[in-house]
Amino acid sequence: IQDKEFDVIIKSNFQKQEEKKIKMKLAISTLVLAVSGVSAFTAPSGRTTSSIVNMADSTMEEEEPIAVPQLPEMSQSMPFMARPGMLKGEMAGDVGFDPLGFVKSEQDLMIYREAEVKHARLAMLAAAGWPLSEVFDKKIASGLNLIPVVDASDRAPSVLNGGLGKVSPVYWVVCLVAAAAIDFIGISKSRGNEPGYFPGNFGFDPFGVYPKDKDGQMWMQTAEIKNGRLAMIAITAFAVQEFVTKSGVVDETPLFFFPLTKTLNEYANYGYIQ
């Protein structure tokens, strides 16, 4: 009987120890869970915060759409008219001027720009050569014992002024050959799809003044086309002015072409200066 009681006591003590172990494990588990739950509601460290912010910023930068410049609805040159669809401002001097709607496609745009550049360059040469011929033609012809091409009123030969028959046929042949050669080069380059080619680009830059950067190149192209357009207007005005006034351009504006003393002396003789 004593042995049985002893065994019962031992078993009860063992059970109590096991219950204590189980309670201890439960307490430790509860403490761990409590600590982890509190840490979930505490502020993260500075390094973690900065990394999260950086990730958010990078995500925003990646997802931010690139702003595409909107094309104006109205023409810059004629604000009361809608901008032509093919004129997108990508070419130098493009101000949306096509009131009659000649340009229907990209090919049309390239053809018209090629023609405009050629006429602009020719007009710049003519706008300089016209008055210079009226100033020096008689002097050069007198020195070479030739007949002057300008008439008695110092007017240069033109369709309106007449006098084109005085020009040597050799001159016209040279002009036609040179124009045909330049046109052939331009057509070959435009159809050859050469890299970097744009209308009027013949690669002619003997003094190396053409800029290397894109902004400088666009500025140079814009300056050329604007001066060329002005020259086309000027050469037309020269012809009309001389036809109407029956007087040479240099005689109408002598301040630009003759010495100041000579001009003032003539003005005094005419009574403009008392």
Side-chain angles (χ1 to χ4, degrees), residues 46-269:
R47 182 178 300 177
T48 306
T49 304
S50 61
S51 62
I52 294 173
V53 172
N54 292 334
M55 290 174 64
D57 292 340
S58 62
T59 305
M60 291 177 64
E61 290 179 358
E62 291 177 357
E63 294 180 355
E64 184 177 356
I66 300 174
V68 179
Q70 296 294 327
L71 295 174
E73 296 182 0
M74 306 304 291
S75 171
Q76 183 180 349
S77 59
M78 306 181 74
F80 53 88
M81 296 185 65
R83 176 186 57 83
M86 297 305 302
L87 301 182
K88 303 176 183 178
E90 298 174 351
M91 304 183 72
D94 181 4
V95 291
F97 183 80
D98 185 21
L100 301 180
F102 287 124
V103 178
K104 304 295 184 183
S105 63
E106 188 73 19
Q107 184 178 4
D108 290 344
L109 180 61
M110 295 297 105
I111 292 174
Y112 281 118
R113 172 45 68 96
E114 191 86 34
E116 183 185 28
V117 171
K118 290 177 181 178
H119 282 82
R121 291 169 177 171
L122 183 62
M124 286 188 283
L125 292 174
W130 187 300
L132 289 177
S133 68
E134 295 180 348
V135 173
F136 297 107
D137 179 71
K138 290 183 177 179
K139 297 177 181 179
I140 295 174
S142 177
L144 299 176
N145 294 322
L146 299 173
I147 300 174
V149 176
V150 298
D151 61 11
S153 301
D154 294 332
R155 297 187 305 168
S158 68
V159 175
L160 297 178
N161 292 339
L164 294 175
K166 298 179 182 179
V167 181
S168 173
V170 177
Y171 171 81
W172 297 119
V173 171
V174 172
C175 287
L176 289 174
V177 171
I182 294 173
D183 210 32
F184 176 78
I185 295 173
I187 294 173
S188 300
K189 286 182 173 291
S190 62
R191 293 182 177 179
N193 296 325
E194 295 186 6
Y197 177 79
F198 54 87
N201 181 17
F202 296 127
F204 182 77
D205 186 23
F207 299 105
V209 297
Y210 191 64
K212 304 299 181 182
D213 59 298
K214 291 185 177 180
D215 291 338
Q217 292 175 358
M218 180 60 70
W219 182 90
M220 183 72 76
Q221 295 174 30
T222 303
E224 180 188 33
I225 198 63
K226 285 187 174 181
N227 282 278
R229 289 168 179 169
L230 182 61
M232 287 188 280
I233 296 173
I235 199 67
T236 303
F238 287 174
V240 174
Q241 177 182 340
E242 291 192 353
F243 176 73
V244 173
T245 63
K246 307 299 180 184
S247 177
V249 172
V250 295
D251 295 330
E252 291 286 337
T253 55
L255 284 171
F256 296 108
F257 304 104
F258 298 106
L260 181 61
T261 55
K262 179 182 179 180
T263 303
L264 294 177
N265 186 25
E266 290 181 355
Y267 280 176
N269 294 333

